[in-house]
Amino acid sequence: QAHTHAQPTATPFPHAYPGTARQSSANPVSIGPEMSSKPVVTYWAGRGRCEPLRCLLAAGGDVFESRNLTCRADMQALIATGKLAYDQVPLVEIDGLNLVQGQPTAGYLAQRYGLCPADAAKACEAKSIWASADDARGPMLSFPFHGDLEKTREDLAGPKALLGRYATRWQATLERSGGPYLLGAEPSMADVGIWEALDFYRDIFGHAAFAAAFAGFPKLLAHYEQVLSLGRLREWRDTGRAAVFSPDWAGYAEAVRATLYS
């Protein structure tokens, strides 16, 4: 994958799109000349349910624009465009399409960037692993709203959680595949999904705690470093997020509350 050093951008959420009236969700709104030619990701300024999709874009080598929701008026303005089929975010605008719902959006992006195997059985396996990562990161989604590190740590260590179930299975998958990726020699959406779940843990607890927690899974730790070489994923982790994310977890949580409940 080609690397690019262009920086991600965050723009104020537009309360009106020139020339765009509310349209049926059955007819996706194309990205017009007034919009960015880059993919546009609309969500709040934090990880939430959107971060795996951002990571797919970055692993694919793309530079995207972030539009961060901050208040109820932002969401109402977005709904009024007709771009949200179910009035929910994340929204990824790409190729003239308005992609919503996480799993199908991930599938589209993976296919677009060569991260979905052509073989049907392998593609199913990649999507299954992606879905397992989505399950594994579940307890971390609520962390910004309660801020309880110990509760989150305990939730992730349970027998059916990230460390108790999923890390063991992913380690075994890497052993069977021979690596360096989950399906063997070529990367897929599965690798990006797993990487993001581990990186979420690292983001919450810090690198030292991350390394200690996964010390019993050496292949997973090596895999984490290997996946960083895809596209501009390392750039997104090290500098891109800081340019578009809230500086703290509480700020992200407050924006979500202000948008949905105020």
Side-chain angles (χ1 to χ4, degrees), residues 13 15 42-46 67-79 84 87-89 145 250-262:
F13 192 86
H15 286 179
T42 302
Y43 198 66
W44 294 280
R67 289 188 172 157
N68 296 329
L69 300 165
T70 60
C71 63
R72 193 167 186 82
D74 291 348
M75 180 63 84
Q76 291 172 336
L78 181 58
I79 291 172
L84 300 181
D87 295 348
Q88 296 172 317
V89 290
F145 299 92
Y252 159 74
E254 180 55 35
V256 174
R257 293 189 183 102
T259 303
L260 298 180
Y261 307 117
S262 64

Side-chain angles (χ1 to χ4, degrees), residues 71-228:
C71 63
R72 193 167 186 82
D74 291 348
M75 180 63 84
Q76 291 172 336
L78 181 58
I79 291 172
T81 67
K83 293 184 177 186
L84 300 181
Y86 304 102
D87 295 348
Q88 296 172 317
V89 290
L91 165 67
V92 178
E93 298 175 66
I94 188 171
D95 299 334
L97 300 172
N98 301 309
L99 304 180
V100 296
Q101 302 297 311
Q103 297 287 346
T105 298
Y108 180 90
L109 295 176
Q111 186 169 3
R112 188 184 193 279
Y113 296 116
L115 293 170
C116 186
D119 177 77
K122 287 292 187 182
C124 183
E125 183 178 4
K127 291 174 182 177
S128 177
I129 295 172
W130 173 276
S132 76
D134 196 45
D135 290 341
R137 70 196 298 277
M140 293 183 280
L141 289 174
S142 60
F143 172 72
F145 299 92
H146 59 67
D148 189 334
L149 281 171
E150 193 52 40
K151 169 180 167 50
T152 305
R153 196 189 314 273
E154 290 175 1
D155 288 345
L156 293 169
K160 297 181 180 180
L162 173 60
L163 290 165
R165 171 185 286 173
Y166 295 101
T168 300
R169 309 294 170 84
W170 299 335
Q171 171 92 359
T173 299
L174 283 166
E175 290 171 352
R176 288 194 303 271
S177 76
Y181 299 107
L182 286 153
L183 301 186
E186 297 297 324
S188 73
M189 63 190 297
D191 300 290
V192 180
I194 298 304
W195 182 89
E196 192 280 332
L198 268 62
D199 190 63
F200 203 167
Y201 191 104
R202 180 182 180 271
D203 204 8
I204 291 174
F205 298 104
H207 182 76
F210 162 70
F214 288 89
F217 307 100
K219 289 190 178 296
L220 268 184
L221 288 176
H223 176 265
Y224 177 87
E225 294 299 324
Q226 176 70 27
V227 176
L228 272 174

